[in-house]
Amino acid sequence: MGIRRQNEIDDLLNAAEERGAWLYTKDKALASALKRRCKAGDVKEVAVGCFARTSTWQKMKLLPRYMFLLRAVSEALPDCVFCRESAAALYGLEVSKANMRRVHICTSRKAHTESSRLVTRHLVENDDAEEIGGLRATSIARTAFDCMRAESFCSGLAIADSALRSGRIPREELERYIVAHPHYPGICTARKTIAYADPRSENGGESFARGTMIELGYMIPELQYPLHDDLSGDDYRADYLWRIPAGNGKVTRVVGELDGAIKYDDPDYMSGRSLAEVVQDERHRESRVSLSVSKICRFSLSTVYDRQAFSRLLDAYGIPRVS
C-alpha cells in the first residue's frame, strides 16, 4: 500500500473519530485497504464494514464504543431512527453487553430493505421519534416497551428500572403505554416486568440479580436500604436487605451485596484511591454493617448467572422462597 493511500486512510479515520464515529464504508477497494491495515494491527474491524484505529478502540469502554458504532450507521443511513436496545443506549438505559453487538433501526411496511449482518430492522409505526445528541430514536416509552417485551425478564427489568430511574418517564406513563398496546408479541413479559420495576436499583447488574431472585421464587429484598454506623457516624446503603421472620415477633435482617469488578477501574468510584485502599475501605464498611444486621451475603454476577449456585447461596443464608 502506497504512502498516499496510507495517508488518505489516516485522514478518514481521524475525521470519523472527530465526528464521534467509526469509519464505515461500502467501498470495496477502501474496505480491502483497511483490512490490510487490520492485518498490520493498527486498525480493527469493529463491526461489518466499520473500522477503528486500534489504539482508540482499546482506550474506550463498551458504551462509548457502541455510540461510535451508532453514529457510523447513522452517517451511512442518514434517515434512520434507532429503536430497541440501540435507542435504549442513546437514552442512557442499562443495556447489556450482549445487546451492544448489533444495531436496531425502524422500518415501515412500505420499505423493502432487509436486515444485514450489522443492522436489524424492526417494524415501528405511529411513534414520534426524538433527537438525542444529533441521532434519532423512538420515544422512551416505545423504546422501553419494545425492550421489555423482546428481552428476557431479567434484562428487561434492567431497562425498566433505569428508564424509571432516569426521570424521563413516570411509571404511570409507561404502564399506560403497555395497556394501550395489548396485542404485541411479548406483552405478557412486558406486563410482568413493569409490575416489578423499581427505580431504586442503582445499575443493571443489581436489576438483573433481583430479576433472577424473582424468577427463582425468593423473597424480594428491599433496595438501597440505609444503615447507620453509630461508632463513626457514617451512613451506608445496602444493595439488598431481607427481613426474615424468626419467630416470637423477631426478624432476622440479611444484607445482600453485589460485587462488581467494573468499579475497580472506575475513576469516579476509586476517587483517587489505590486498589488496596478501596478494598480496605470496603472491609471497614462491611465490618460496620455487620454490627446492625445478622448476615451479609456477597455475590458476583457470575454467581447470579449460574442459577443453581445462586440458589444454593441464597438457601445457605436462609432467604425464603415465597412462590
Side-chain angles (χ1 to χ4, degrees):
M1 189 186 304
I3 294 177
R4 178 178 294 180
R5 187 58 162 168
Q6 293 273 24
N7 291 337
E8 288 176 355
I9 289 176
D10 286 333
D11 289 343
L12 290 171
L13 289 167
N14 290 337
E17 285 184 18
E18 290 175 3
R19 298 192 305 272
W22 303 129
L23 175 58
Y24 180 80
T25 182
K26 291 184 178 180
D27 184 290
K28 292 183 179 179
L30 177 58
S32 179
L34 284 160
K35 287 179 184 292
R36 289 197 293 274
R37 290 280 292 267
C38 289
K39 291 181 180 179
D42 65 321
V43 171
K44 179 180 179 67
E45 187 172 12
V46 300
V48 179
C50 283
F51 298 86
R53 187 171 275 105
T54 303
S55 58
T56 302
W57 170 267
Q58 291 175 339
K59 289 186 293 186
M60 296 175 69
K61 293 186 177 182
L62 180 62
L63 181 57
R65 288 175 179 175
Y66 192 58
M67 293 296 104
F68 269 51
L69 179 60
L70 296 184
R71 192 166 295 279
V73 170
S74 74
E75 291 179 355
L77 304 169
D79 296 326
C80 75
V81 176
F82 294 103
C83 61
R84 300 207 178 193
E85 291 82 6
S86 296
L90 288 173
Y91 282 113
L93 307 186
E94 295 282 355
V95 179
S96 67
K97 180 179 180 179
N99 285 317
M100 291 192 195
R101 296 172 181 166
R102 294 189 60 79
V103 175
H104 302 270
I105 66 173
C106 301
T107 190
S108 67
R109 297 184 189 276
K110 296 180 181 179
H112 300 289
T113 306
E114 296 182 352
S115 299
S116 67
R117 286 192 292 165
L118 173 60
V119 177
T120 301
R121 298 172 183 268
H122 303 273
L123 178 63
V124 178
E125 296 179 316
N126 302 319
D127 183 75
D128 295 325
E130 297 186 20
E131 185 172 313
I132 309 168
L135 304 180
R136 294 200 302 156
T138 51
S139 67
I140 190 166
R142 180 60 191 256
T143 298
F145 173 65
D146 284 342
C147 290
M148 285 191 291
R149 64 188 183 87
E151 295 271 6
S152 68
F153 169 70
C154 296
S155 294
L157 189 62
I159 295 286
D161 286 352
S162 57
L164 299 181
R165 186 171 66 245
S166 72
R168 288 178 176 268
I169 184 169
R171 177 187 296 275
E172 295 76 16
E173 183 178 340
L174 192 49
E175 289 173 337
R176 284 196 298 270
Y177 196 95
I178 293 172
V179 170
H181 298 80
H183 303 301
Y184 276 60
I187 187 64
C188 291
T189 302
R191 288 170 178 156
K192 176 182 176 181
T193 303
I194 192 60
Y196 287 105
D198 193 324
R200 293 175 297 173
S201 185
E202 283 199 332
N203 56 60
E206 290 183 12
S207 297
F208 192 95
R210 188 173 93 260
T212 304
M213 297 171 199
I214 292 169
E215 287 198 320
L216 291 173
Y218 286 95
M219 173 188 287
I220 302 174
E222 299 175 44
L223 303 182
Q224 300 304 317
Y225 186 78
L227 296 167
H228 181 73
D229 179 6
D230 291 331
L231 295 178
S232 66
D234 293 332
D235 291 313
Y236 303 106
R237 283 185 303 166
D239 294 339
Y240 312 98
L241 180 89
W242 290 275
R243 299 175 188 266
I244 304 171
N248 299 322
K250 296 183 179 180
V251 173
T252 297
R253 297 199 303 170
V254 179
V255 157
E257 291 280 84
L258 176 64
D259 292 325
I262 190 171
K263 63 188 179 183
Y264 295 118
D265 59 12
D266 184 343
D268 292 334
Y269 183 83
M270 300 291 281
S271 301
R273 297 172 294 171
S274 67
L275 177 58
E277 290 172 329
V278 170
V279 172
Q280 182 178 8
D281 288 347
E282 288 191 353
R283 287 177 176 172
H284 174 83
R285 171 182 176 273
E286 185 168 319
S287 70
R288 294 293 188 264
V289 169
S290 66
L291 293 175
S292 55
V293 299
S294 302
K295 303 175 185 176
I296 300 176
C297 175
R298 302 188 72 98
F299 51 87
S300 65
L301 275 177
S302 61
T303 302
V304 175
Y305 296 148
D306 184 342
R307 293 198 165 197
Q308 288 187 344
F310 195 37
S311 291
R312 289 195 299 269
L313 180 69
L314 295 178
D315 289 342
Y317 277 85
I319 310 303
R321 294 182 190 250
V322 294
S323 64

